[in-house]
Amino acid sequence: MGNKIQFIDRLRLGFAVSVAKSVTFIVRSLRLGAASVLPGSIARRIEPRILELLSQQVKNGVILIAGTNGKTTTALLLSTILERKGYRVAHNSTGANLENGLMTTLLDSTNLLGTLDVDYAILEVDENIVPRVLKPLQPRIILCLNLFRDQLDRYGEVDTISKRWTKVISTLPAETVVIPNADDPTLSNLGQQLPQRVLFFGLNEPANYLEAIPHAVDSIYCPKCGHSLDYKGVYLSHLGDFTCPKCGFTKSKPTLESSEWSQILVGLYNKYNTLAAATAAIELGVDETTIRDTINNFQAAFGRAEDLVINGKRVRILLSKNPVGTNETIRVVTQSTDKTTLLILNDRTPDGTDVSWIWDVDTEKLVERGGTLVVSGDRVYDMALRLRYSQKSPESNINLIVEEDLRQAIATALEHTPDNETLHILPTYSAMLEVREVLTGRKIL
């Protein structure tokens, strides 16, 4: 943290930064994009150690946030908490969480001489690149949110990722603080193996147990011996209160009592994000009054339970990019009285090209409640077929509307939404960006 940089490194870094900032200016001036990745890619070619050289200058340290779901919301909440205390924070708020995106984030807070003037860098990191960036970043705190199956065409199973994380984290300095999710067996085990200081976050709220373990469950076997875990109850997917009857492995004790912490965002999954950010903030010395006040006045990150008013009607965007996340957004929808839902399924690179995951989603619950379901996206007919198979009988009480054109699908869904109800939109990642562009960029049909 805050290490001095050698003169020759400073010269190369300054040149790389100047070129990157020029690229950023050109891209944004010509409205070619957000310039959230390209500047970092170019700067890296000039100075391969740029991530290390920049992160060394962060005064109070780097906070790395990794996991399948919840990175953006947790990072934004923690960043907001620190900013309210007067700290300057670099944060990849656009969600560019691969190496070039991390570099671009730090470059944005750097002057033309390559000097980075921030107190903290909060970086949400794609779970697959964690082993590659830990050494150059040397994070002060690592938040491990969860591990679910996500984009299997790219990543593989959760135990593979966990083993890689454990191996590389264990080589970091002893003063590194690791904060894993106690309710995730894989991450609870990870924390129990590390030599560093480990704090845990998790729930202790049996009233929120699911009635049964959901179909989209990833890791219900003991990470130590492979035996089936005994669950007192699950909160979502494989996250819950568990023990192993064979080897005695059990859930780690969370640092905070979850029932004592409120949340303003919808969904139990956001309670995990809240607890993760609060645990990290307390570790950084922030007073509980500021943390609680920030939580109670927090607004969701774009596309993550984001509420908008469009043409006088309420719209809520719930990012739904994998089985566990989609099951949770469906739970939010079915707990409301609103009866119009728009589902958008894309299969582009940010989404993962394998859409077979939709068959692990409990869409039956969405169909059982009835109402209007509008579907769109690149794989609109795959989504429509999944919903048809979710019907217990052809006479099921749903109005299924298939619309290939996204703009028309949004307009149709809005037309079917009564003035006193909310339209819930469940898009994959690239679809979420398109939806926001349509809703906030120009008038709907």
Side-chain angles (χ1 to χ4, degrees), residues 363-381:
T363 48
E364 288 78 9
K365 295 179 180 179
L366 193 60
V367 170
E368 286 171 9
R369 75 192 298 262
T372 297
L373 301 179
V374 183
V375 293
S376 189
D378 301 339
R379 302 295 289 268
V380 57
Y381 294 105

Side-chain angles (χ1 to χ4, degrees), residues 285-299:
V286 181
D287 59 281
E288 286 196 17
T289 300
T290 298
I291 298 172
R292 292 181 186 276
D293 185 62
T294 305
I295 291 170
N296 292 332
N297 293 280
F298 182 66
Q299 292 186 341

Side-chain angles (χ1 to χ4, degrees), residues 14-289:
F15 179 58
V17 169
S18 297
V19 172
K21 285 189 174 292
S22 298
V23 171
T24 299
F25 176 78
I26 293 171
V27 171
R28 291 177 181 172
S29 297
L30 297 178
R31 297 184 178 181
L32 299 176
S36 60
V37 174
L38 182 60
S41 176
I42 293 174
R44 185 184 184 187
R45 288 180 176 273
I46 299 171
E47 173 48 85
R49 294 176 59 229
I50 190 167
L51 189 59
E52 177 183 349
L53 295 175
L54 291 177
S55 62
Q56 285 177 4
Q57 299 181 62
V58 180
K59 294 179 181 178
N60 295 332
V62 173
I63 301 163
L64 186 150
I65 301 178
T68 309
N69 293 342
K71 294 186 293 292
T72 298
T73 299
T74 304
L76 180 59
L77 177 54
L78 182 55
S79 177
T80 304
I81 291 170
L82 292 175
E83 287 173 344
R84 289 194 60 187
K85 294 299 293 183
Y87 293 112
R88 290 161 296 181
V89 180
H91 167 218
N92 51 337
S93 56
T94 63
N97 56 25
L98 299 178
E99 287 160 287
N100 292 334
L102 305 183
M103 296 170 198
T104 300
T105 296
L106 297 177
L107 285 165
D108 280 345
S109 299
T110 305
N111 65 22
L112 291 175
L113 298 177
T115 300
L116 180 64
D117 187 20
V118 296
D119 298 302
Y120 291 99
I122 298 179
L123 302 176
E124 51 178 285
V125 178
D126 182 281
E127 57 266 38
N128 201 41
I129 71 162
V130 167
R132 296 206 301 268
V133 300
L134 281 180
K135 184 175 180 180
L137 287 177
Q138 290 291 300
R140 174 177 175 177
I141 292 178
I142 303 173
L143 272 168
C144 304
L145 301 182
N146 47 60
L147 283 176
F148 301 124
R149 285 181 299 146
D150 184 56
Q151 301 189 38
L152 291 181
D153 53 309
R154 291 175 58 200
Y155 296 156
E157 296 294 347
V158 298
D159 57 341
T160 302
I161 296 174
S162 173
K163 289 176 182 177
R164 293 173 62 207
W165 281 17
T166 304
K167 182 178 180 180
V168 70
I169 292 175
S170 63
T171 66
L172 293 176
E175 59 267 24
T176 306
V177 177
V178 185
I179 307 178
N181 188 335
D183 295 357
D184 187 320
T186 303
L187 294 181
S188 195
N189 179 55
L190 178 151
Q192 292 177 18
Q193 295 183 67
L194 294 175
Q196 290 86 1
R197 182 160 176 258
V198 179
L199 308 174
F200 291 92
F201 70 93
L203 300 180
N204 183 23
E205 303 177 31
N208 287 316
Y209 285 159
L210 294 174
E211 294 180 0
I213 294 179
H215 179 61
V217 65
D218 297 325
S219 182
I220 58 174
Y221 295 97
C222 178
K224 286 185 176 293
C225 71
H227 194 277
S228 295
L229 293 169
D230 283 346
Y231 277 87
K232 290 175 60 179
V234 294
Y235 297 109
L236 64 94
S237 186
H238 58 271
L239 307 189
D241 296 324
F242 54 83
T243 57
C244 176
K246 183 176 181 181
C247 72
F249 168 69
T250 189
K251 168 181 170 175
S252 305
K253 181 176 175 56
T255 301
L256 302 179
E257 175 54 57
S258 65
S259 61
E260 297 176 357
W261 290 81
S262 62
Q263 68 178 107
I264 193 170
L265 301 180
V266 298
L268 195 62
Y269 56 95
N270 274 318
K271 186 64 176 284
Y272 280 110
N273 300 333
T274 298
L275 291 167
T279 303
I282 291 173
E283 172 62 21
L284 292 171
V286 181
D287 59 281
E288 286 196 17
T289 300

